[in-house]
């Protein structure tokens, strides 16, 4: 069974013309979830990963499982105001306006190797902001990994142009 076949497409959500790629159908399938986690763990096994950073919110689900299997810590990157304690934040552009993500200021140490993980890469703004936060804390982004890539929206291309390596388990054409 392919990972891609377990991902549901919801047309016109959250706005007309968008084809929303919903991983909840993948997550509820035990074999599919195991396949995703195993594929990511296999890719990074033997690589010096110190932390896995997952982007809110679906990046938490798979990111924590991958961190557990790799035997490393997990760090959440969240929307503004969701983390308690001292945080470092980064603003990024959206199609209309801006948003902000934050990370605990003590989450990553100098020279730690970090795997950045999320469910989907579209335009790349959130992933870029998370990578900037990792680097501001002194970490090194090994790779930005995603379950789903949407190459038509240019996010992976943008991240690669900024010097980040990217990887997606499957790709969908269009938005």
């Amino acid at each position: 069974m392919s990972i891609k076949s377990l991902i549901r497409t919801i047309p016109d959500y959250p706005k007309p013309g968008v084809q929303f790629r919903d991983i909840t159908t993948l997550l509820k399938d035990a074999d599919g979830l195991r396949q995703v986690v195993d594929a990511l763990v296999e890719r990074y096994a033997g690589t010096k990963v110190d932390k896995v950073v997952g982007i809110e919110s679906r990046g938490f689900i798979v990111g924590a499982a991958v961190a557990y299997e790799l035997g490393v810590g997990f760090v959440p990157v969240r929307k503004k105001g969701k983390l308690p304690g001292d945080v470092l934040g980064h603003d990024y552009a959206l199609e209309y306006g801006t948003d902000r993500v934050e990370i605990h200021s003590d989450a990553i140490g100098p020279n730690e190797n970090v795997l950045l993980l999320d469910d989907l890469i579209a335009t790349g703004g959130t992933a870029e902001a998370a990578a900037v936060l990792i680097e501001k804390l002194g970490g090194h982004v090994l790779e930005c990994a995603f379950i789903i890539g949407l190459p038509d929206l240019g996010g992976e291309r943008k991240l690669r142009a900024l010097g980040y390596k990217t990887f997606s388990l499957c790709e969908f054409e269009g938005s």
Side-chain angles (χ1 to χ4, degrees):
M1 174 180 338
S2 78
I3 292 168
K4 192 172 181 177
S5 71
L6 294 171
I7 298 167
R8 171 174 47 195
T9 298
I10 300 174
D12 298 320
Y13 181 83
K15 63 182 185 178
V18 173
Q19 299 295 307
F20 185 82
R21 308 306 175 174
D22 177 22
I23 68 162
T24 62
T25 48
L26 168 66
L27 296 174
K28 75 177 183 177
D29 185 279
D31 292 335
L33 177 58
R34 172 57 61 192
Q35 188 178 347
V36 166
V37 172
D38 286 350
L40 291 166
V41 169
E42 182 179 319
R43 180 171 178 84
Y44 301 105
T47 303
K48 182 166 177 357
V49 176
D50 297 305
K51 301 267 174 63
V52 173
V53 168
I55 299 173
E56 185 172 335
S57 69
R58 292 174 299 272
F60 294 178
I61 299 165
V62 175
V66 169
Y68 174 80
E69 291 292 331
L70 291 174
V72 301
F74 174 78
V75 174
V77 167
R78 301 210 59 193
K79 299 287 184 178
K80 181 181 178 178
K82 299 288 186 177
L83 290 172
D86 190 36
V87 297
L88 181 65
H90 186 77
D91 296 319
Y92 63 99
L94 296 170
E95 188 176 352
Y96 301 103
T98 62
D99 209 346
R100 182 176 183 85
V101 291
E102 297 176 336
I103 191 169
H104 279 125
S105 58
D106 62 354
I108 296 174
N111 300 313
E112 283 191 315
N113 291 314
V114 178
L115 170 61
L116 179 60
L117 201 123
D118 203 1
D119 67 321
L120 180 139
I121 179 73
T123 60
T126 309
E128 178 188 353
V132 167
L133 289 173
I134 291 164
E135 291 179 341
K136 282 183 178 180
L137 292 174
H140 168 68
V141 179
L142 291 171
E143 193 161 64
C144 302
F146 309 94
I147 297 171
I148 302 167
L150 300 175
D152 294 349
L153 298 181
E156 284 188 90
R157 195 169 44 253
K158 175 183 179 179
L159 291 173
R160 287 191 300 270
L162 294 169
Y164 299 110
K165 293 179 187 175
T166 67
F167 172 73
S168 293
L169 287 173
C170 65
E171 292 185 344
F172 285 86
E173 298 301 316
S175 60

